[in-house]
Amino acid sequence: MTEPNSNLPLSPVPEGGGKSPVSADSTGAGKRRITRRQFLARGAATVVGVGLLTGGYSWQGEPRWLETTRLTLSWKELPAAFSGMKLVHLSDVHLGFNKDAGDVKRLIPHIQAANPDMVVLSGDIVDSYSEDLEESVPLFAELKPPLGKFAILGNHDYKNAEKLIGFLEQAGFTVLRNRHVLVTKGDASIAIAGMEDVLIGVPGPDPKAALGGIPPGTFTLLLMHEPDYADQVQEYSIQLQLSGHSHGGQIRLPIAGPLFVPKGATKYVSGLYTVGTQQMKLYVSRGFGETYMPFRFMCRPEITVFTLLHK
């Protein structure tokens, strides 16, 4: 994805040294006074122009301006054999709304450039219809991290969940629905767990099914679409939860922050948090796609590259 050129001026610079030949200041000799109607007309034109520039940027600019966020985290529970592991987190692609296979084609090289050992997807791969993933299946299949690819469903993924899961599995993802798998390197292992979406109702998340049976002391990564659910799993030993759902607010304003965040992402909206007495790390992705409105403002789409270390 090509970053917009931030060096382009927002308005033309007048010739002759940068000062306008006509001033609105009526107090100096030889300077032309503008009428009230001219003042209002120019003001209205400025407002409309700024709106068009901002709208164009938030529609055609920022949604295509992918950011790769890089974080290094360490835990004593992570086996030394996994120290240095690179994990790419992708969330909220929302294929079928403002994203399609062309966007995925531009996305894949960014993931490949990170040379990940594992790729995880924390839900909302489509905006509504499972068929919108089909064209992107061979593109996602190009990702071949040695420790695997794992996915969960988000609240937008349940219209035809079984068909969507079939496409994800064709692309090489292991879909975790209230269960976990152990990933091994030599004699060491870590657990990757995933739960159903909390907003759907049925089947709903089941922590006992997803996390029960993990050997004590095992480093555990939880994929859960809604980040606020982190408060509901504090009785379990989880070192890292990866979530999405919020889109970071998708449209953010200076000082005010996000204009809207969905249910399930009102407490934890974007970025890295430390949750509970066990100091579980929670990362909330701003996501790759958009929903409801095809805009982003001050909230670039992202993938996150984690380097996990043993300490």
Side-chain angles (χ1 to χ4, degrees):
M1 296 194 175
T2 303
E3 296 188 0
N5 188 343
S6 59
N7 297 319
L8 292 176
L10 295 181
S11 58
V13 178
E15 296 179 358
K19 289 189 177 181
S20 174
V22 178
S23 172
D25 184 355
S26 62
T27 60
K31 293 181 180 179
R32 189 172 68 189
R33 182 189 298 272
I34 66 170
T35 66
R36 181 174 182 271
R37 178 176 293 180
Q38 287 173 322
F39 175 79
L40 292 175
R42 292 179 186 183
T46 300
V47 170
V48 171
V50 169
L52 289 173
L53 284 171
T54 303
Y57 167 75
S58 64
W59 177 35
Q60 295 293 334
E62 193 163 305
R64 297 173 180 269
W65 190 11
L66 181 68
E67 180 175 4
T68 298
T69 304
R70 300 180 186 275
L71 291 172
T72 300
L73 302 174
S74 60
W75 295 268
K76 66 180 185 300
E77 293 90 350
L78 185 74
F82 286 87
S83 193
M85 166 184 166
K86 284 190 177 180
L87 168 72
V88 168
H89 175 209
L90 172 67
S91 194
D92 297 271
V93 182
H94 285 277
L95 288 167
F97 178 68
N98 198 38
K99 292 290 188 290
D100 58 21
D103 296 289
V104 174
K105 187 174 183 178
R106 291 186 288 272
L107 166 68
I108 295 301
H110 289 269
I111 299 176
Q112 291 171 325
N115 194 26
D117 298 293
M118 182 182 293
V119 174
V120 299
L121 170 61
S122 58
D124 281 0
I125 184 70
V126 297
D127 193 68
S128 190
Y129 299 102
S130 58
E131 292 81 4
D132 291 322
L133 173 58
E134 186 171 10
E135 192 176 352
S136 297
V137 166
L139 299 171
F140 281 113
E142 293 176 13
L143 299 173
K144 300 182 185 299
L147 297 180
K149 299 184 291 191
F150 301 91
I152 58 169
L153 302 183
N155 55 301
H156 283 257
D157 292 328
Y158 283 82
K159 185 160 286 187
N160 191 338
E162 296 305 323
K163 188 171 186 178
L164 183 71
I165 290 168
F167 287 140
L168 285 168
E169 289 176 342
Q170 288 178 39
F173 285 92
T174 297
V175 182
L176 301 173
R177 307 187 69 181
N178 288 332
R179 69 186 183 99
H180 70 268
V181 297
L182 295 179
V183 177
T184 61
K185 286 187 74 175
D187 295 330
S189 62
I190 61 175
I192 314 297
M195 285 197 283
E196 300 281 4
D197 190 273
V198 70
L199 300 180
I200 294 302
V202 178
D206 186 341
K208 288 185 177 179
L211 300 163
I214 295 175
T218 302
F219 177 90
T220 299
L221 163 64
L222 173 65
L223 302 178
M224 179 66 197
H225 187 60
E226 286 83 12
D228 289 357
Y229 198 79
D231 290 338
Q232 308 301 313
V233 291
Q234 289 304 297
E235 64 185 275
Y236 297 90
S237 178
I238 301 166
Q239 283 64 53
L240 176 62
Q241 176 179 319
L242 298 179
S243 299
H245 186 55
S246 70
H247 298 212
Q250 200 166 299
I251 296 175
R252 302 177 69 96
L253 297 180
I255 303 175
L259 292 183
F260 170 79
V261 288
K263 182 179 179 181
T266 59
K267 183 176 181 180
Y268 306 113
V269 178
S270 178
L272 185 66
Y273 300 86
T274 299
V275 181
T277 58
Q278 296 194 58
Q279 303 289 288
M280 181 185 80
K281 298 298 182 185
L282 164 67
Y283 191 84
V284 186
S285 173
R286 298 192 302 270
F288 178 69
E290 297 77 44
T291 190
Y292 300 117
M293 298 180 295
F295 307 117
R296 281 184 179 268
F297 188 72
M298 296 183 68
C299 193
R300 288 167 61 186
E302 74 172 331
I303 59 170
T304 312
V305 180
F306 293 92
T307 301
L308 310 186
L309 299 177
H310 168 78
K311 67 175 181 180

